[in-house]
Amino acid sequence: MAFDSFGAFIAMEGHGPYVWSCYFVFFVLMGAIAFWSLRQRRFVIAQQRRRMNSTQVRNTSPAGASFTRIEPSQD
Amino acid sequence: MWQIFHKLGSPKWFFGIAATLMPWLLWVGVAMLAAGIGWGLAFAPQDYLQGNSYRIIFIHVPAAFLAQSVYIMMAVAGLVTLVWRMKLADVFVKAVAPVGAILTFLALFTGAVWGKPTWGTWWIWDARLTSMLILLFLYFGVIALGAAISDEKSSARAVAVLVLVGVVNIPIIKYSVEWWNTLHQPATFKLTEKPSMPPEMWVPLLLSVLGLYLVFGWLACLRMQTEILLREGRTRWVKELIQARGS
Amino acid sequence: MHPIRKKRLTIVLFLLVGVSVAVGLTTYALRQNINLFYDPSQIADGEAPVDVRIRAGGMVEDGSVLRDPESLKVEFKVTDFSSSVLVEYTGILPDLFAEGQGVVAMGRLDKNGRFVADQVLAKHDENYMPPEVNEALEKAAGKRAAMSGAESDAAASY
């Protein structure tokens, strides 16, 4: 351990505010981008599922005809 | 050889690989980052000149390092987009540009906070700091251009050209401290020489750089998966995948 | 490689080379503006303009720091080990300011070749080490200097 006590660790001989504000901003921003990216993926999956369910309802309509959408590759 | 290349370009194949890799990338990366930062903050000796303020290096250098390598990776992907028209390359560029912007911002911010107690100023227009600020604006430009063009193909090409033009800035950032007089000191880690610090300082630094690399890998996989789901939502494999995940 | 891809690759490479050359020439033309500061040698050669706000940078010469006991006024010499410039400054110096350390001073050069600074920044190098190691190094250097006479090899270590 490079410090004698926890208080000394926090104070860092007067450099504490500089060091800790850097680490704080680092973790907040990295956490924010991770959280936001996870939420975005969950949101997209939920959105696709909703769309799928609504098309399924339409496909099983009394008309009975079934369509399969064919998506040729774009390239 | 070419078959592997084409397989790599397949979004479905990538999605599966990413899913298996992601837990490893995240947890090994977080563990290394935590080890490096914890060691650097609490156990590494202080610097003879700067005292404890140098401990900012354990996030400043990883952020700055990643900010530049993410841009280089984007440039390689941009080249692949322009020459081989591989869709996955554009997915990568769009997915990681915001992460690169955040890393560049972090490098600038931690550098400014570190500069105040050591140099005596938050900011100075020297070549290293200015070229790093240009990198941040390049990331903003890539994000904005990608969002401004709605057609997928033209957006991919325009973004790729911008990324490739901007890559000229990377050697300028790297060598700015050698080509010109700057306030910023030269690099501590060099490829050809041993680092200009003792092992009890550079080992934790190396750990946090590698850890942040892995965490970035996880973020890139995650964000690329989202982008693929958005673009390929109508294909059968995505529908099957979403159904398999349960309702 | 497919001929179309080869063509695209050449176009992209030409684009890259063109942009690099343009940026290279621009930075070369602007190199003096990109340099953050003038070296003492450049100032001694008269390359730096007089009475215009410029920056001067180098090492604080050993034993050159004179502090005015009544005010915050300081005088010191900045050197690059071939020439040196006398700097005059009133104000609080950064913590890292010391003899043998790098500095960048902002201010004006007067007609007598004195540099009147209004801001002094500390510049440090890329070497980091624990205080004990530094003390040991200094002790060893002192011993060596004492053995080899007064000849200092400061220039070599710059």
Side-chain angles (χ1 to χ4, degrees):
Chain A
M1 198 72 178
F3 298 95
D4 300 331
S5 67
F6 188 69
F9 179 54
I10 296 300
M12 294 227 161
E13 293 174 8
H15 289 309
Y18 299 104
V19 175
W20 295 116
S21 64
C22 277
Y23 280 85
F24 177 76
V25 171
F26 178 81
F27 285 116
V28 165
L29 281 184
M30 290 309 288
I33 183 89
F35 176 76
W36 184 55
S37 306
L38 279 170
R39 221 185 58 159
Q40 212 180 11
R41 189 182 63 174
R42 213 177 323 135
F43 179 77
V44 169
I45 291 175
Q47 196 187 31
Q48 309 277 38
R49 181 172 298 137
R50 240 178 291 130
R51 204 168 54 195
M52 258 165 55
N53 290 343
S54 64
T55 51
Q56 257 169 11
V57 169
R58 234 179 292 142
N59 284 349
T60 53
S61 59
S66 95
F67 296 95
T68 323
R69 197 187 171 115
I70 298 166
E71 279 277 311
S73 169
Q74 298 291 310
D75 252 50
Chain B
M1 161 70 202
W2 285 106
Q3 249 172 350
I4 297 172
F5 201 62
H6 282 293
K7 221 175 169 186
L8 263 170
S10 143
K12 183 187 174 188
W13 182 85
F14 172 81
F15 203 96
I17 289 287
T20 38
L21 277 179
M22 277 169 66
W24 293 99
L25 287 171
L26 178 65
W27 296 116
V28 177
V30 165
M32 284 172 80
L33 196 60
I37 286 177
W39 185 352
L41 271 177
F43 298 98
Q46 51 171 265
D47 179 52
Y48 75 106
L49 195 63
Q50 300 179 32
N52 288 312
S53 66
Y54 99 98
R55 292 181 197 279
I56 293 171
I57 202 174
F58 299 107
I59 48 173
H60 175 76
V61 166
F65 203 77
L66 257 290
Q68 293 169 67
S69 22
V70 169
Y71 199 90
I72 295 172
M73 291 184 234
M74 276 170 52
V76 172
L79 185 74
V80 172
T81 303
L82 286 180
V83 178
W84 287 276
R85 299 283 144 88
M86 193 187 280
K87 275 194 268 177
L88 204 57
D90 180 53
V91 169
F92 176 79
V93 173
K94 299 268 165 65
V96 301
V99 184
I102 286 185
L103 289 166
T104 314
F105 173 80
L106 280 171
L108 284 168
F109 178 83
T110 53
V113 175
W114 189 6
K116 187 64 190 165
T118 42
W119 298 341
T121 182
W122 301 98
W123 181 262
I124 187 161
W125 293 98
D126 89 345
R128 168 57 73 83
L129 277 64
T130 310
S131 54
M132 208 57 192
L133 189 66
I134 292 172
L135 184 68
L136 182 64
F137 289 137
L138 278 171
Y139 275 120
F140 287 161
V142 168
I143 297 168
L145 190 63
I149 306 173
S150 53
D151 176 55
E152 201 177 284
K153 276 189 192 171
S154 9
S155 150
R157 282 174 212 173
V159 165
V161 169
L162 176 62
V163 170
L164 277 170
V165 168
V167 83
V168 180
N169 191 35
I170 296 294
I172 296 184
I173 298 178
K174 170 102 179 61
Y175 292 106
S176 54
V177 287
E178 290 166 30
W179 290 341
W180 300 293
N181 290 333
T182 55
L183 188 61
H184 196 287
Q185 68 284 4
T188 301
F189 274 136
K190 288 174 203 109
L191 281 179
T192 48
E193 293 162 48
K194 58 183 190 46
S196 50
M197 39 166 53
E200 60 266 40
M201 289 177 179
W202 68 253
V203 174
L205 183 54
L206 193 65
L207 267 177
S208 54
V209 170
L210 294 177
L212 195 61
Y213 245 107
L214 296 183
V215 171
F216 164 76
W218 173 76
L219 267 173
C221 285
L222 173 65
R223 297 178 61 83
M224 282 173 81
Q225 282 192 334
T226 310
E227 190 76 29
I228 288 171
L229 288 174
L230 265 178
R231 292 186 187 194
E232 312 264 308
R234 293 183 189 286
T235 58
R236 179 181 288 196
W237 73 269
V238 170
K239 288 185 176 169
E240 280 169 4
L241 183 111
I242 287 171
Q243 251 155 7
R245 280 185 155 234
S247 44
Chain C
M1 204 193 276
H2 199 284
I4 292 182
R5 289 182 186 144
K6 206 173 238 172
K7 201 177 121 200
R8 288 189 202 139
L9 187 64
T10 6
I11 294 173
V12 172
L13 289 181
F14 265 108
L15 172 89
L16 263 185
V17 170
V19 173
S20 318
V21 168
V23 172
L25 288 175
T26 316
T27 47
Y28 182 74
L30 293 173
R31 65 197 179 283
Q32 194 50 64
N33 294 342
I34 296 173
N35 274 333
L36 186 70
F37 51 81
Y38 289 95
D39 293 332
S41 310
Q42 287 174 307
I43 294 174
D45 292 347
E47 279 180 42
V50 172
D51 216 28
V52 173
R53 219 176 115 82
I54 55 163
R55 298 196 190 93
M59 292 281 173
V60 180
E61 205 171 289
D62 278 327
S64 74
V65 180
L66 284 175
R67 287 171 201 267
D68 183 5
E70 248 115 80
S71 66
L72 284 169
K73 199 170 151 186
V74 205
E75 265 186 25
F76 53 91
K77 275 187 188 151
V78 168
T79 175
D80 60 0
F81 303 107
S82 55
S83 321
S84 62
V85 173
L86 192 66
V87 178
E88 191 186 301
Y89 172 69
T90 311
I92 296 160
L93 289 162
D95 295 347
L96 260 60
F97 180 90
E99 288 176 1
Q101 274 298 320
V103 286
V104 173
M106 273 171 251
R108 286 161 205 279
L109 202 61
D110 71 9
K111 283 176 203 73
N112 313 322
R114 281 166 76 90
F115 192 86
V116 185
D118 49 49
Q119 193 180 8
V120 173
L121 301 176
K123 179 172 162 58
H124 62 87
D125 61 13
E126 72 276 26
N127 296 307
Y128 299 86
M129 57 182 131
E132 309 88 67
V133 176
N134 183 49
E135 272 165 35
L137 277 180
E138 268 175 5
K139 217 175 273 174
K143 219 176 265 171
R144 215 179 310 131
M147 264 161 27
S148 67
E151 208 64 34
S152 92
D153 56 1
S157 70
Y158 175 61

